[in-house]
Amino acid sequence: MRKGKKVISAALAGCLTAGMFLSGCGDGGNDGKTEIEILQYKPEAAKYFDSVEEEFNKTHDDIHLTIDSPNDASTIMRTRFIREDYPDIIGIGGDINYSYYVDAGILADISDFEGIADVKQAYLDIGEALKIVPTDGTYILPYVANAAGVLYNKNIFEEHGWEIPTTWEELIALCDDIEAAGLQPFYFGFKDTWTCLAPWNSMAVDLAPADVCKQVNRGETTFSEEYGEVSEKYLELLEYGPEDPFAYNYNDACTAFARGESAMYPIGSYAVPQILSVNPDMNIDSFVMPANSDASKNTLNSGIDLGFAVTADCKNKEAAYEVLEFLYEDENIQKYIDDQNAIPCKEGDFDLAPMLDGMQEFIQSGNMTDYQDHYYPSEMAVDAQIQTFLINQDVDAFLKKFDKDWQRYNRDTIRKVQEYEEEQGNAE
């Protein structure tokens, strides 16, 4: 674990600031009960977790649960890892930070947790794929997911008799029809750089290999080879939005879509609560972004929005598992779904929000592919790179910079991958 902690420290120390420490729970103060602390990164779900904490402590005599939901949880998490002050369980997303934590040996193998058997295989596969190099064991319990594609105004579509597109050609033809009807096809909020990732991810899952980042790390391809079509089609999509998409932020775009200023909005399901806060009566549905010409190749862009991991330093894994069992009860998952408009990672008969109806076929069949940006290091600022590309509209310059920066910001990861490949080759 010592070597891993150095990796975490080197990669993330620049993010750390003084005064962000939370103390561990300790062993006393609760009548000898076993203390379990969860530090989770979804502050918007704090009320849900407060209710979970209260209900768990009310129904369990031997364990006392504390759940922290701070606004800067990811930074606090990294700070505590460096200080070797570990919470028992962390709630995180399935992204590059999770990859770093597995690689550093910070997380415990939970493959013996019985609830793993109830997780949808697609999300177990996503968690497995996020490992920097193959590592025995399961290190995250996928809890809920979100999805990105295209939200659309169902009333407007029904009024004009427009059908849901299943190929890129059908999508462009639909955009032309919408413009011919005097309406704007899309709204964008690209003043906030992170919103540039939503269309990018939902197109990339159709047009680039799901493991393109790993292929690049192994030296088997380049982003210039794999991301060309994504880039070209993104520019085409841009033509069907507002005249200056960089003048509007995320809230502006949500508000405009809620007011009927566009027929569609390419964003994730997480935007729905914000849209409904402006127009509670809006009839919203969604469909998968059809980025290629073969409808059978369409896949839902979905990843682990929240999963739970037990830290390797957890002193009482059995008690931690009891907490996970409680969190994973159908009733609690449904409460989270209702509160956060989420998609369950657990198999079962759950009631999903109606605005996910158009994605149900993909959710039920497990036809889901993770967000490409879950593999991007934050230091590379890919969202800002995409925004700059959309402004300059120079595909070649964008892709060359992407390849160059990837080598720069992933130097340690690439070396680790290549060392692993060499070891495997020598072993054979």
Side-chain angles (χ1 to χ4, degrees):
M1 185 178 290
R2 297 297 176 191
K3 181 180 178 182
K5 286 177 183 172
K6 288 181 181 178
V7 173
I8 288 290
S9 182
L12 304 175
C15 299
L16 304 179
T17 57
M20 291 186 176
F21 306 122
L22 289 182
S23 60
C25 275
D27 297 322
N30 281 290
D31 302 325
K33 294 181 180 180
T34 299
E35 291 283 347
I36 294 294
E37 179 198 10
I38 297 178
L39 175 58
Q40 71 86 24
Y41 87 126
K42 303 283 285 185
E44 65 271 27
K47 289 184 179 179
Y48 164 78
F49 283 108
D50 287 345
S51 68
V52 166
E53 177 187 304
E54 181 180 359
E55 184 62 25
F56 182 91
N57 288 330
K58 189 186 302 182
T59 56
H60 291 74
D61 296 329
D62 56 343
I63 302 172
H64 180 265
L65 174 64
T66 300
I67 305 179
D68 295 313
S69 307
N71 288 326
D72 49 359
S74 294
T75 300
I76 290 170
M77 231 175 261
R78 293 189 291 262
T79 304
R80 290 185 58 175
F81 291 160
I82 291 173
R83 295 177 68 229
E84 300 188 28
D85 175 23
Y86 301 93
D88 300 288
I89 300 171
I90 58 173
I92 54 176
D95 57 23
I96 192 68
N97 288 319
Y98 165 70
S99 305
Y100 291 150
Y101 298 160
V102 173
D103 187 58
I106 285 173
L107 306 181
D109 178 9
I110 60 169
S111 54
D112 59 338
F113 176 65
E114 293 183 0
I116 291 288
D118 297 323
V119 180
K120 292 177 181 177
Q121 188 61 47
Y123 292 114
L124 290 175
D125 292 343
I126 285 172
E128 185 67 25
L130 284 165
K131 296 174 181 177
I132 292 174
V133 295
T135 306
D136 290 339
T138 300
Y139 296 88
I140 190 168
L141 178 68
Y143 194 60
V144 292
N146 57 27
V150 180
L151 302 179
Y152 71 95
N153 189 315
K154 199 169 183 179
N155 287 349
I156 290 178
F157 268 60
E158 290 176 351
E159 178 184 341
H160 291 83
W162 292 325
E163 295 185 359
I164 302 304
T166 59
T167 66
W168 179 255
E169 291 74 17
E170 289 177 2
L171 177 62
I172 297 304
L174 171 62
C175 289
D176 290 335
D177 288 344
I178 292 172
E179 286 192 334
L183 298 172
Q184 184 170 286
F186 292 112
Y187 219 94
F188 303 115
F190 292 161
K191 185 176 182 179
D192 287 332
T193 55
W194 68 268
T195 66
C196 299
L197 286 167
W200 173 267
N201 281 319
S202 60
M203 288 191 291
V205 294
D206 282 351
L207 300 174
D211 64 341
V212 62
C213 295
K214 289 194 168 187
Q215 289 188 32
V216 172
N217 287 341
R218 293 194 298 266
E220 298 171 357
T221 188
T222 65
F223 291 108
S224 293
E225 293 179 49
E226 305 295 347
Y227 278 166
E229 188 176 2
V230 184
S231 304
E232 295 285 358
K233 287 184 172 178
Y234 204 158
L235 293 180
E236 191 171 357
L237 209 65
L238 202 65
E239 296 299 314
Y240 294 99
E243 185 173 343
D244 185 3
F246 311 101
Y248 308 103
N249 62 26
Y250 170 70
N251 288 339
D252 296 332
C254 288
T255 298
F257 178 63
R259 292 175 176 170
E261 294 179 30
S262 71
M264 299 178 289
Y265 183 18
I267 198 73
S269 56
Y270 47 80
V272 171
Q274 176 67 26
I275 295 166
L276 293 179
S277 72
V278 177
N279 182 1
D281 299 323
M282 188 174 187
N283 191 3
I284 307 172
D285 204 344
S286 58
F287 59 87
V288 170
M289 175 73 79
N292 55 57
S293 301
D294 184 350
S296 68
K297 294 181 180 179
N298 290 339
T299 182
L300 174 61
N301 184 200
S302 180
I304 301 169
D305 188 43
L306 175 63
F308 295 105
V310 178
T311 61
D313 270 29
C314 177
K315 299 298 187 293
N316 196 322
K317 201 174 183 184
E318 183 178 342
Y321 279 7
E322 194 167 339
V323 170
L324 293 182
E325 287 170 3
F326 184 79
L327 284 163
Y328 226 57
E329 289 178 2
D330 287 359
E331 180 182 359
N332 287 323
I333 292 178
Q334 185 64 59
K335 287 178 181 177
Y336 190 98
I337 293 169
D338 295 341
D339 185 60
Q340 296 292 312
N341 190 39
I343 298 169
C345 294
K346 183 182 181 180
E347 296 280 7
D349 186 19
F350 296 98
D351 295 325
L352 304 190
M355 60 283 301
L356 293 171
D357 286 350
M359 297 177 171
Q360 281 279 14
E361 173 189 345
F362 294 85
I363 295 170
Q364 295 302 327
S365 66
N367 181 5
M368 295 170 278
T369 304
D370 199 7
Y371 296 75
Q372 294 268 325
D373 75 307
H374 282 177
Y375 293 85
Y376 303 160
S378 58
E379 299 90 338
M380 191 170 160
V382 173
D383 55 348
Q385 290 200 32
I386 294 175
Q387 183 194 57
T388 300
F389 154 63
L390 295 174
I391 293 171
N392 296 336
Q393 302 196 12
D394 188 334
V395 173
D396 289 340
F398 165 63
L399 294 176
K400 286 178 182 177
K401 179 174 174 54
F402 203 113
D403 277 322
K404 181 180 179 180
D405 284 0
W406 187 266
Q407 296 298 318
R408 175 186 176 188
Y409 291 108
N410 285 274
R411 191 177 297 112
D412 291 339
T413 297
I414 292 170
R415 182 173 62 248
K416 184 178 291 289
V417 169
Q418 292 177 350
E419 288 175 352
Y420 173 84
E421 294 293 324
E422 290 174 5
E423 289 173 2
Q424 294 301 110
N426 292 334
E428 293 174 3

